Amino acid sequence: MRRSFIPSVPAAPIYCLALLGLGGALVASADAPVTIPSPALTSEGKLTPHTRAVIAEGNAYLLGQVETIVADAKTEKIVPSPTGDAVLVAVSKRRPFHGVTLTSPTPTTPADAEPLNGEINLVYWDTRTRTARTLLREAIRDDSIAEIGQIEWLPQTRSALVVVNRVAIKDGKPGMFEQSVIRFDTAAGSATRLASRQYDGEGVRLHNESLSVSPRQPLAYLLLQEYLPAPAGKRTVPRTSLRLYSPRGFRAPITLPDGVGRLQWTADGKSVYADRLSEPDAGKANTLKTRKVLTLVNLETGAVTQPDALPAISRTARTQESPSGRASWAVEIDTRPGTLQTASGKSQAVSTLWLRSAASVSASVPVSAPASKAATPLPKATGGAKGAISTEALLITTNARREAELATENSAAILFTRDGSLCAAPIFRVSVTAFEDALRGIQRTAAISNAKQAALALFGYMQDYEENLPPVGGETAGQIGPYVGNPEIFQNPATGENGFVYSYQGPTSFAQIALVAETQLGYVSGPGGRAIIWADGHVTWTENTPR
């Protein structure tokens, strides 16, 4: 079964695709960095004559240019928004510090963790602005350790609740523990501290606090379970309370029956319930017994009841979801090993990340990097009668770890970490017709531009050869090559093959040409036609005559 992650996107003009362009992935080889070319859009989101797309089910899928979200930091958490167009990322920038030894684990640090110094950041990034914003900075010092414990998006909003933990370190041991809940409004870029609790080192072991967000409503609760000392021979049950969060803020705590079990959200996301209670067993020391008792907490009213059954919920409420752009695209992200051919001819094993048609079943993916850009062949491409416009797969990057996907109705992005940085590669979909028409127009414009430069080269040659044109039947491209800034002007922009033809058959003396405006010197072929070079220097486009 095909695993799809990218949404349906309505056809859009190519010039509107402003998020795009993958210029290439840098791979460190034993000799030197090697650039792997990729047939993508420019950094400004524009098509080039050599842009190719993965064609599937009547649509063209294009890669955008890889963008760095966070550089030189360790990615701790990546949490996409429910709508799929944004992400919150917890990262740490740390370095070892000396003189502190944690003798026991804390809620924020495992027992074998190395003490570090630096800072933690909460970073916001979305597919619309493509600009990373740091919403939170918390210092990590030799006397205080901090971490971002939870990141929870609130459905139907652009806000998220974030739990920040901090432990004071004194004489190498954990001391005061502080937990804060902060609401971040990503649309406004604002932060509001909603709740904060402090415990001493002993209290850390006696309390367990967690945040849970409704799957469908902008509601959440902060659960506190407190384990009080038990009498001799008795086993204690947790004392549980919760604080409800709504867009208006936290309410007063709601006390639940002692020993209440794990809370679960109802299908409509407006209430929570537990179906078991734990209590001391009177007949056995240090033993708890569990019985089935339904406890229901209505988060809209704060009422705690123990009904016989959960209330009936309408089908509409059960199926209501947060708006999301996720839908089935006919492409997949494919991760597999490959090989890199370096400039010196050596092979190097790499991991590769590809955008590929879901129907593609290639057994292996060789990755080849030429010695120079000028010698770069176009990727293997296929297309219809109008020429090659597509490729079986597009290389996203190499030696990277895939982290997450963002997807909306208008764009998608693949998030991956590489060389200590978190990066994003945008992906866009347009109809094949829109892509082909736009690409053909750009290629035709490029062919006309190439023909004008070839004309200038011919006139430059004549100036040096006493107003004589190159001889008929000679290697004309080589003869006028010294007058050309870029040898790629002789290529057909649609195929990358040689497209320059010197078709003139008359006398080489330019003075002997009677009607220069009507005398054809040659042409540069392009998609479905050719750009004709006339003896007076002007260039016209003509379509090929159908056979």
Side-chain angles (χ1 to χ4, degrees):
M1 180 180 293
R2 183 171 72 198
R3 187 176 76 85
S4 301
F5 65 91
I6 308 181
S8 174
V9 176
I14 295 295
Y15 62 80
C16 291
L17 304 183
L19 299 186
L20 311 177
L22 174 60
L26 290 179
V27 180
S29 70
D31 300 309
V34 179
T35 299
I36 302 178
S38 185
L41 303 174
T42 68
S43 58
E44 292 79 23
K46 298 180 180 179
L47 290 171
T48 74
H50 301 318
T51 296
R52 297 293 183 266
V54 174
I55 304 297
E57 299 182 4
N59 290 295
Y61 298 86
L62 300 98
L63 272 176
Q65 188 158 36
V66 168
E67 303 176 6
T68 299
I69 299 177
V70 182
D72 300 325
K74 180 182 178 182
T75 301
E76 306 286 356
K77 293 180 177 66
I78 300 176
V79 184
S81 66
T83 52
D85 64 341
V87 65
L88 284 170
V89 185
V91 300
S92 59
K93 300 179 181 180
R94 301 181 176 181
R95 61 185 183 275
F97 61 80
H98 304 287
V100 175
T101 302
L102 297 182
T103 57
S104 62
T106 73
T108 62
T109 307
D112 58 350
E114 180 183 13
L116 297 171
N117 194 10
E119 67 178 25
I120 57 172
N121 295 166
L122 180 69
V123 179
Y124 171 79
W125 186 88
D126 63 45
T127 58
R128 181 179 58 85
T129 64
R130 298 175 5 260
T131 300
R133 288 186 290 160
T134 300
L135 303 181
L136 172 72
R137 283 190 173 92
E138 288 283 333
I140 301 173
R141 305 185 302 270
D142 56 1
D143 61 350
S144 179
I145 296 176
E147 74 159 8
I148 294 176
Q150 284 180 262
I151 302 173
E152 304 286 348
W153 287 91
L154 287 168
Q156 305 178 27
T157 74
R158 303 291 298 180
S159 298
L161 301 181
V162 177
V163 176
V164 179
N165 301 317
R166 181 174 287 279
V167 177
I169 304 297
K170 185 176 182 180
D171 298 328
K173 296 181 180 181
M176 185 65 70
F177 171 73
E178 180 183 23
Q179 183 179 70
S180 300
V181 180
I182 305 173
R183 181 183 64 209
F184 290 93
D185 184 338
T186 61
S190 61
T192 304
R193 190 177 297 269
L194 301 174
S196 182
R197 295 177 67 93
Q198 290 186 337
Y199 316 104
D200 58 22
E202 183 68 18
V204 170
R205 291 191 290 273
L206 299 180
H207 296 78
N208 179 25
E209 200 165 67
S210 60
L211 177 72
S212 181
V213 172
S214 169
R216 294 178 176 85
Q217 306 294 330
L219 300 171
Y221 66 81
L222 194 62
L223 180 70
L224 173 63
Q225 288 185 313
E226 184 178 7
Y227 291 83
L228 300 178
K234 299 292 184 178
R235 185 174 177 183
T236 187
V237 296
R239 179 171 297 172
T240 304
S241 63
L242 60 83
R243 296 184 64 192
L244 170 66
Y245 171 83
S246 70
R248 289 173 293 182
F250 275 107
R251 300 181 188 173
I254 300 173
T255 301
L256 303 184
D258 288 350
V260 70
R262 183 175 65 90
L263 294 177
Q264 305 175 62
W265 287 94
T266 56
D268 61 0
K270 297 179 180 180
S271 301
V272 293
Y273 69 94
D275 57 7
R276 284 174 171 77
L277 282 179
S278 296
E279 54 191 13
D281 190 338
K284 298 180 181 180
N286 294 319
T287 303
L288 297 178
K289 63 179 181 180
T290 301
R291 58 190 180 97
K292 291 186 177 181
V293 176
L294 184 62
T295 303
L296 179 68
V297 183
N298 186 318
L299 297 184
E300 293 183 319
T301 64
V304 180
T305 59
Q306 292 183 328
D308 294 332
L310 291 175
I313 297 174
S314 68
R315 179 181 297 273
T316 301
R318 288 200 306 268
T319 58
Q320 181 183 4
E321 298 286 349
S322 298
S324 174
R326 292 183 180 271
S328 176
W329 276 20
V331 290
E332 292 181 348
I333 302 302
D334 184 20
T335 304
R336 62 180 66 198
T339 57
L340 174 71
Q341 193 74 20
T342 67
S344 63
K346 297 180 180 179
S347 294
Q348 177 181 328
V350 295
S351 62
T352 59
L353 198 63
W354 296 83
L355 176 67
R356 180 181 296 277
S357 167
S360 174
V361 290
S362 177
S364 63
V365 183
V367 182
S368 178
S372 65
K373 186 175 180 180
T376 301
L378 287 177
K380 181 180 179 181
T382 59
K386 295 184 179 180
I389 66 168
S390 67
T391 184
E392 183 182 85
L394 292 170
L395 178 65
I396 298 174
T397 188
T398 62
N399 289 340
R401 185 178 70 183
R402 176 179 171 182
E403 297 288 358
E405 294 87 31
L406 298 180
T408 69
E409 291 185 351
N410 299 311
S411 62
I414 306 303
L415 274 58
F416 58 89
T417 49
R418 184 184 67 192
D419 298 331
S421 297
L422 177 65
C423 304
I427 303 173
F428 285 80
R429 185 180 82 164
V430 295
S431 71
V432 171
T433 301
F435 170 62
E436 186 174 71
D437 289 346
L439 183 61
R440 296 307 171 201
I442 290 173
Q443 290 174 340
R444 182 173 59 192
T445 299
I448 293 172
S449 176
N450 289 350
K452 290 179 178 179
Q453 294 181 66
L456 292 175
L458 286 168
F459 288 127
Y461 176 93
M462 285 193 298
Q463 289 179 357
D464 288 346
Y465 287 88
E466 299 179 353
E467 298 300 314
N468 286 310
L469 289 164
V472 176
E475 294 292 335
T476 309
Q479 292 172 323
I480 66 174
Y483 305 93
V484 173
N486 184 358
E488 290 183 3
I489 71 162
F490 297 123
Q491 294 179 359
N492 180 326
T495 65
E497 300 173 350
N498 179 52
F500 174 71
V501 174
Y502 183 62
S503 59
Y504 179 67
Q505 298 292 324
T508 58
S509 174
F510 188 78
Q512 296 182 27
I513 301 176
L515 300 173
V516 293
E518 301 177 12
T519 301
Q520 179 178 321
L521 298 182
Y523 62 85
V524 174
S525 59
R530 58 186 64 183
I532 299 175
I533 304 169
W534 301 95
D536 66 345
H538 82 282
V539 173
T540 60
W541 176 264
T542 182
E543 297 287 337
N544 293 336
T545 303
R547 296 183 179 179

